[in-house]
Amino acid sequence: MDDDIRKRRENTRSQIESNDPDLTKLNIDTRNHDFIPPDGDWARDGKGIGRNEHIKELCFGSGMAGAVGRTDFEAFCAGLACNKSIERLIVCCCQLFGGGIFNVLSRFFEQNSNLHCLALLSGFGSSPNAMRFLSESLLRFNTLRGFECCGCKLCENDVEMLIQALAGHNNMTKIDLGGNKVGEGGVAALAALLNSPNSSLADLQLKSCSLTDEGAAVFADALGRNSTLKKLNLDNNGRITTKGWSVIFTQLQNSLSLLEDLDLSGNSIDDDAAILLGNTLTNNIHLKVLNLSEMNSISSV
């Protein structure tokens, strides 16, 4: 290891163990400016983070797969489980231990009541059990307010399982599924979540989710009945035709809908659907932001 890198990592370890208030974010990865135990003592640094009171965001980088074995990571997480300050966890190595990273993190999930956001920034690849491990872990606690799973290339069954697991987090205000194939099963699970009297969902990101007319119909009905959702992103769902958009736009007239921010950019909305949208919004007093960019299918009419 380069002397400068070792020195940097030893300094980070000192900040962790001295409870330095300036250290609020920690990236664990093999990149030069990130942290891994300079001497390979994962148990020591897990305990140090477990005692730390100022780290708010922890990220496991994509290089973790080549940096740590399961035994060392389990020792690290045994100490990490004592941490109560981390509010946001980012996982860029979902395939670690065949998805078993989520099993190993379970105690941390269960014991840190301040964990409010979980962000997954990599795919599950060839780890068929990873989503099951994640879903099982999500069922063991209920503190999340935000969940991000962007571009993870999830299939319909994965999304359905995931949404069902997230339903127990009653304070969830934001879900981002951008870049995943939601499918009809996933849409049905989202509709059930929106229809739940316990739902607090205010921000739903469904950019590039391959939604269809059938899915739009199921989702639209739930949208019309929901009064918590304020922000909805349906950018780049080109499989929805005028039929699907008409159903969605009609539901915007429902008095229960309090939607304030709607992103429809990058879709194939034609004149008929656009006219319906315009008429629908005539008496809508809630919508404040409407994005119709990259909409070449709407003519001057």
Side-chain angles (χ1 to χ4, degrees), residues 14-256:
S14 177
Q15 286 183 287
I16 293 170
E17 295 182 339
S18 66
N19 207 20
D20 186 341
D22 290 333
L23 184 66
T24 59
K25 295 183 179 182
L26 182 63
N27 294 331
I28 301 180
D29 204 349
T30 53
R31 292 175 298 187
N32 291 349
H33 292 281
D34 293 329
F35 176 77
I36 57 172
D39 54 4
D41 192 345
W42 287 84
R44 173 180 173 178
D45 292 309
K47 291 177 182 177
I49 297 171
R51 292 189 293 266
N52 192 280
E53 299 174 346
H54 297 289
I55 297 174
K56 301 296 183 185
E57 179 178 289
L58 179 66
C59 175
F60 292 120
S62 57
M64 286 286 288
V68 61
R70 181 154 186 155
T71 300
D72 281 337
F73 190 67
E74 287 175 347
F76 174 86
C77 288
L80 174 67
C82 296
N83 179 275
K84 297 293 187 294
S85 67
I86 295 172
E87 299 175 358
R88 177 178 169 84
L89 178 67
I90 304 170
V91 180
C92 303
C93 50
C94 297
Q95 297 182 50
L96 191 63
F97 315 129
I101 180 175
F102 300 111
N103 283 350
V104 182
L105 285 167
S106 287
R107 280 185 59 200
F108 168 68
F109 291 147
E110 294 170 20
Q111 296 179 197
N112 183 1
S113 59
N114 289 311
L115 181 65
H116 298 322
C117 181
L118 177 61
L120 310 181
L121 303 182
S122 73
F124 292 84
S126 58
S127 304
N129 294 317
M131 180 53 65
R132 178 171 61 83
F133 293 148
L134 171 61
S135 298
E136 290 172 352
S137 294
L138 289 170
L139 290 170
R140 293 188 179 122
F141 71 112
N142 60 3
T143 62
L144 289 183
R145 298 176 187 170
F147 180 83
E148 303 168 23
C149 189
C150 307
C152 292
K153 299 180 180 179
L154 303 182
C155 67
E156 177 180 342
N157 290 339
D158 286 342
V159 172
E160 184 176 4
M161 187 186 307
L162 178 62
I163 297 302
Q164 289 172 349
L166 289 172
H169 295 255
N170 292 334
N171 293 319
M172 180 75 66
T173 60
K174 179 179 179 178
I175 295 178
D176 187 343
L177 295 173
N180 297 293
K181 187 176 181 180
V182 172
E184 291 183 34
V187 170
L190 280 172
L193 180 60
L194 288 172
N195 283 329
S196 170
N198 296 321
S199 176
S200 301
L201 194 62
D203 184 345
L204 181 57
Q205 301 289 312
L206 296 175
K207 178 180 179 179
S208 304
C209 285
S210 302
L211 299 179
T212 63
D213 285 346
E214 291 75 14
V218 174
F219 181 73
D221 183 66
L223 181 64
R225 298 170 184 266
N226 179 273
S227 60
T228 64
L229 198 65
K230 299 294 190 294
K231 187 173 184 177
L232 176 62
N233 186 343
L234 295 173
D235 178 10
N236 195 30
N237 281 285
R239 297 177 66 187
I240 301 178
T241 70
T242 299
K243 178 181 177 182
W245 290 122
S246 297
V247 177
I248 291 176
F249 296 161
T250 298
Q251 288 298 332
L252 294 180
Q253 300 179 82
N254 195 307
S255 60
L256 291 176

